[in-house]
Amino acid sequence: MRWFSALLLSVSLASPAAIAEPSPPTEAAAQEVLSQILGELKVAYASIDAIQADFVQVVRSPTFGDNPPQAGTLTVAKPNRMRVEFTGPQAAQFITDGQTLWVYSPENQQVFITPDLSDQRDGLQDLLSSLGALEQRFEVALVEHDAGRALISLRPREGEASQFQQLRIELDRENAALKRLEMVDAFGSVTEMTMNTMNMSPTLPEGLFHFIPPEGAEVIRTDQF
C-alpha cells in the first residue's frame, strides 16, 4: 500500500475599435493580500487546539502511477498528536500520541508499533498544527485568490527539516478552514487530500490518540529489532 507515503479574462472596452486587457496585479498588491490571508489564519487558529476532517486522498507517483481515491478521517491535536483512519478495501489506521506510532491493517490483522520518528517539526501533524504561523516555517507565496478562497504555496525554509519538497494549501477565507492540501515528497510523489468537512474545534474522546491492538492481531514492534 502506498500512502503516506476558465481562466476568467476581464476586458474593458476603450472604444469600439480597441480592447484593453487589465494589468496583472503588482507584486506589492499580491504581498498585501498574502499578508491579509496569513493574518486571517493567525487569528483563526490562535485558540484552536484540534481540527478534524473527512477527506478523500489521491496519491500520484511518477514511478508507480496513481492510487485509487481513498476516503478517510483525519484528526490532529496539539501537541503532535494525529489519527488518520482510511476506509474502504485498503482500510488502515495511523495513530500517534507524539511518542509512539501505531499502524494497523485490518486486512492483514497486523499492528506495527514504533517510536514516532517524525521529528515533531517535519510531519503532517506538525504542519496542520502550525496553520497559524506558516511564514515561520515556510517560504509562502500567493498562487490565486478571490473573495471566498485562497490558494497558497509553501516551500520549507533553508535549514528546516521537512518531509515535503513543496505544498499547496487551499483555504476557505470565510472561516480559514482547509479545503485541499497537496504535498510533494522528496521522490516527487504527490499526495492530494480534499476535505469534505472540517471541524475546527471538535470534542475529542479520551484515548483517541492511543491504540489497543484487537484480540488476535499480530503485533510487530519495530523498536525491538
Side-chain angles (χ1 to χ4, degrees), residues 5 90 131 163 193 209:
S5 152
Q90 293 184 316
L131 287 172
Q163 297 177 10
M193 301 175 72
F209 302 105

Short mmCIF file of all heavy atoms in Angstrom, two decimals, residues 5 90 131 163 193 209:
data_model
loop_
_atom_site.label_atom_id
_atom_site.label_comp_id
_atom_site.label_asym_id
_atom_site.label_seq_id
_atom_site.Cartn_x
_atom_site.Cartn_y
_atom_site.Cartn_z
N SER A 5 2.64 8.31 2.34
CA SER A 5 3.58 7.58 1.67
C SER A 5 2.08 7.28 0.55
O SER A 5 1.88 5.80 0.99
CB SER A 5 4.58 7.01 1.74
OG SER A 5 3.74 7.05 1.25
N GLN A 90 -8.84 -0.85 1.32
CA GLN A 90 -7.50 -0.77 1.90
C GLN A 90 -7.53 0.00 3.22
O GLN A 90 -6.72 0.89 3.47
CB GLN A 90 -6.53 -0.12 0.91
CG GLN A 90 -6.28 -0.97 -0.32
CD GLN A 90 -5.25 -0.36 -1.23
OE1 GLN A 90 -5.26 0.84 -1.49
NE2 GLN A 90 -4.33 -1.18 -1.73
N LEU A 131 -0.84 26.00 11.25
CA LEU A 131 -1.51 26.79 10.22
C LEU A 131 -1.57 28.27 10.58
O LEU A 131 -1.71 29.12 9.70
CB LEU A 131 -2.92 26.25 9.98
CG LEU A 131 -2.99 24.92 9.21
CD1 LEU A 131 -4.40 24.37 9.21
CD2 LEU A 131 -2.47 25.08 7.79
N GLN A 163 9.43 16.69 5.42
CA GLN A 163 9.19 15.53 4.58
C GLN A 163 8.76 15.96 3.17
O GLN A 163 8.60 15.11 2.30
CB GLN A 163 8.10 14.65 5.19
CG GLN A 163 8.45 14.06 6.54
CD GLN A 163 7.31 13.26 7.13
OE1 GLN A 163 6.32 12.99 6.47
NE2 GLN A 163 7.44 12.88 8.39
N MET A 193 -5.15 15.75 -0.64
CA MET A 193 -6.25 15.49 0.28
C MET A 193 -7.30 16.58 0.10
O MET A 193 -7.01 17.76 0.29
CB MET A 193 -5.76 15.47 1.72
CG MET A 193 -4.68 14.42 2.00
SD MET A 193 -4.02 14.52 3.71
CE MET A 193 -5.43 13.87 4.62
N PHE A 209 -5.87 9.12 20.74
CA PHE A 209 -4.52 9.05 20.19
C PHE A 209 -3.71 7.91 20.83
O PHE A 209 -2.48 7.98 20.90
CB PHE A 209 -3.82 10.39 20.36
CG PHE A 209 -4.57 11.51 19.68
CD1 PHE A 209 -5.30 12.42 20.42
CD2 PHE A 209 -4.56 11.63 18.30
CE1 PHE A 209 -6.00 13.45 19.81
CE2 PHE A 209 -5.27 12.64 17.67
CZ PHE A 209 -5.99 13.55 18.42
#
